[in-house]
Amino acid sequence: GAVVSQHPSRVICKSGTSVKIECRSLDFQATTMFWYRQFPKQSLMLMATSNEGSKATYEQGVEKDKFLINHASLTLSTLTVTSAHPEDSSFYICSVPKQETYNEQFFGPGTRLTVL
Amino acid sequence: SQQGEEDPQALSIQEGENATMNCSYKTSINNLQWYRQNSGRGLVHLILIRSNEREKHSGRLRVTLDTSKKSSSLLITASRAADTASYFCATVRQAGTALIFGKGTTLSVSS
């Protein structure tokens, strides 16, 4: 069964609104989760590392005030896209490192965001 | 940031044929992994090869790693229509850190 869930799977919103995406680790606790973004026909780009109990670490070029990350518990990380614009339309995917090895990762099914 | 290139970007083959995808990377690595993504879905881990390994097998998959050339290849033997997907290599510099993905190869297997 699924190890990582994401909600919602798909969201359409108007420009200027904020959208919250949840990522849940279902099978184990995760002090670290990762958020990626994927534009059509492109690869995954790391946005940020979500850390339980501390601030997220953002990749260069990713605005921390635009993409708010909250690692509320050991099984939940949320990504909020604030004041979304059409250029934020993308596929957002979270991942959780495999607990034993911390090498391979389990990915959520992704969230398709469309901003009108 | 992305690690590097994968080639080919797109590959179309017939069922039963073998598919080979290549990946190059730029920095030193702890390990290299291959993932598969069906259209519009999440990623599924296929295989991991450590920096001190040269070849690894898993079912119909064979992965090689050449750290001197900073390259890896994924071979899928006896391909099936169900293998149609995008395949990405990803590197890890240190255990527990994020994956850095290559650009991916889109494989289409026709029956």
Side-chain angles (χ1 to χ4, degrees):
Chain A
V3 178
V4 180
S5 70
Q6 275 186 246
H7 176 79
S9 59
R10 188 179 296 266
V11 58
I12 301 172
C13 69
K14 292 182 179 179
S15 187
T17 60
S18 294
V19 174
K20 180 186 284 188
I21 302 170
E22 293 185 346
C23 175
R24 290 183 186 276
S25 176
L26 302 177
D27 282 5
F28 50 86
Q29 296 180 331
T31 56
T32 299
M33 295 184 184
F34 301 105
W35 286 97
Y36 296 85
R37 179 168 55 182
Q38 184 180 32
F39 291 107
K41 299 190 186 304
Q42 293 189 25
S43 186
L44 283 77
M45 297 292 288
L46 178 66
M47 298 178 67
T49 302
S50 176
N51 305 299
E52 192 273 336
S54 63
K55 292 182 180 180
T57 306
Y58 291 81
E59 293 300 298
Q60 192 172 15
V62 178
E63 302 174 55
K64 60 181 71 175
D65 294 330
K66 172 111 179 129
F67 299 98
L68 300 179
I69 291 173
N70 181 20
H71 202 127
S73 72
L74 287 170
T75 59
L76 173 65
S77 175
T78 60
L79 168 68
T80 301
V81 183
T82 62
S83 186
H85 291 282
E87 57 266 30
D88 298 323
S89 298
S90 188
F91 194 54
Y92 292 86
I93 310 176
C94 68
S95 72
V96 176
K98 187 176 182 181
Q99 199 170 27
E100 295 84 26
T101 64
Y102 291 94
N103 281 319
E104 65 183 90
Q105 296 187 17
F106 297 104
F107 282 83
T111 297
R112 174 78 57 193
L113 170 64
T114 303
V115 185
L116 303 175
Chain B
S1 61
Q2 287 184 298
Q3 264 285 21
E5 301 290 325
E6 275 160 274
D7 75 272
Q9 291 188 344
L11 180 60
S12 293
I13 58 174
Q14 297 286 320
E15 261 192 332
E17 293 180 338
N18 295 342
T20 300
M21 291 161 261
N22 302 297
C23 162
S24 63
Y25 57 92
K26 297 175 182 174
T27 62
S28 62
I29 61 171
N30 175 282
N31 65 72
L32 184 143
Q33 303 172 38
W34 285 87
Y35 285 80
R36 165 197 168 119
Q37 183 182 35
N38 284 37
S39 181
R41 310 286 289 275
L43 277 73
V44 175
H45 178 265
L46 295 176
I47 195 166
L48 179 153
I49 186 166
R50 300 188 188 285
S51 60
N52 61 353
E53 297 176 310
R54 292 296 166 258
E55 187 171 311
K56 203 160 183 181
H57 297 253
S58 176
R60 293 186 295 115
L61 306 179
R62 173 177 166 254
V63 169
T64 63
L65 178 65
D66 187 336
T67 53
S68 66
K69 295 182 180 178
K70 290 187 166 57
S71 67
S72 173
S73 69
L74 171 68
L75 169 66
I76 303 174
T77 60
S79 62
R80 306 165 182 167
D83 294 329
T84 295
S86 292
Y87 292 82
F88 296 93
C89 71
T91 54
V92 174
R93 296 195 68 182
Q94 289 180 307
T97 59
L99 296 168
I100 305 299
F101 284 88
K103 293 186 176 180
T105 293
T106 300
L107 174 65
S108 177
V109 182
S110 52
S111 53

